[in-house]
Amino acid sequence: MTSTAPQQGNGFMHDQRKRRIFGDVVTHVFLAVMAVIWLLPIVWVLLESFNENTAPYQTTFFPRKYTFANYVQLFTDRNVMNFPRMFANTMIIAIFVCLIQLFFVLSVAFCMSRLRFRGRKAFMNIALVLGMFPGIMAVIAIYFILKAFGLTSGGWVILALIIVYSAGSGAGFYVMKGYMDTIPMSLDEAAYLDGCTTWQVFTKITIPICRPMIVYQAIVGFLTPWLDFVMAKAIARTQDNFTVALGLWQMLQKEYINDWYARFAAGAVCVSIPIAILFIVMQRFYQESMSGSVKG
């Protein structure tokens, strides 16, 4: 009896170890397959941007001949499409919207989280209900309102897009408010006792603590106009006011696709570069802020 029990225990441990190894192998194989599936479109777009053949229909999946001319023509050939201007328009809109949205969201979230006043809960409930409706439902109404103010033509279109993307940003305060709710009220009370004003509490205490959420909100505020198509398509009517999303869409139209398909891929790569830089830079600030909060 004493010799059989250790053998059974060893057999059980051996079977358990084999099951664990088998599970790890299956998991790693699955993750490897999913990684290939996820990376394949990115690799294809990158290689297609260097394709010497500009036509969309080819006999092979990957290009056979490569050239850098697509990138050069994308930024130098402005007779048909002025992609550099579209890129600049989008960059201007995204930067301003990012800053305005960040200020609005921080301000509203601070009021909802740290202050108490009449109508606070009613406002939060109304904002929550309105947030359930997609913004695309109001596209037509927004366009005619902007048209009534004369903001749908000429250089005013850039201002109109900044206003549209920024106007309702304060209603998206719930995530930021949830983070601020975790900050102890004792910090605010101590600051008030030391003679700080509400603005000083907001700028010197709340904002430094909320740096991880500020990073998140900055990324969201930048990506909203950078990737949006529907609102830009409804408001911008001429190429002078196009964003990069509209420019890439126009490259795939039947009158341009044969000559601009490879440049479309090059444009897609160029559009992704600011997003990648933003994530890399913001990730560094996010890690620094989180390490500081852990030490505190």
Side-chain angles (χ1 to χ4, degrees), residues 18-96:
K18 288 197 299 185
R19 285 195 297 268
R20 186 174 64 252
I21 294 175
F22 177 77
D24 292 342
V25 171
V26 172
T27 301
H28 284 80
V29 170
F30 174 76
L31 293 177
V33 173
M34 294 302 296
V36 171
I37 295 174
W38 180 74
L39 290 173
L40 186 60
I42 300 176
V43 174
W44 180 84
V45 171
L46 181 62
L47 296 178
E48 182 65 27
S49 66
F50 295 98
N51 193 358
E52 189 177 288
N53 183 9
T54 60
Y57 306 106
Q58 305 176 44
T59 58
T60 58
F61 185 77
F62 291 111
R64 292 182 176 179
K65 297 182 179 180
Y66 297 90
T67 179
F68 199 75
N70 296 321
Y71 288 93
V72 176
Q73 294 172 357
L74 184 67
F75 286 94
T76 58
D77 187 3
R78 306 182 184 183
N79 296 325
V80 180
M81 288 188 215
N82 194 344
F83 185 79
R85 179 160 187 168
M86 300 176 190
F87 195 91
N89 291 341
T90 312
M91 183 65 71
I92 294 172
I93 295 171
I95 292 175
F96 276 97

Side-chain angles (χ1 to χ4, degrees), residues 92-125:
I92 294 172
I93 295 171
I95 292 175
F96 276 97
V97 171
C98 177
L99 297 176
I100 296 172
Q101 278 197 11
L102 191 60
F103 177 75
F104 281 176
V105 171
L106 282 171
S107 301
V108 177
F110 178 81
C111 294
M112 296 298 107
S113 175
R114 319 307 286 180
L115 305 180
R116 297 296 181 267
F117 52 90
R118 182 178 298 178
R120 171 176 168 272
K121 291 185 178 180
F123 175 81
M124 289 194 296
N125 291 332

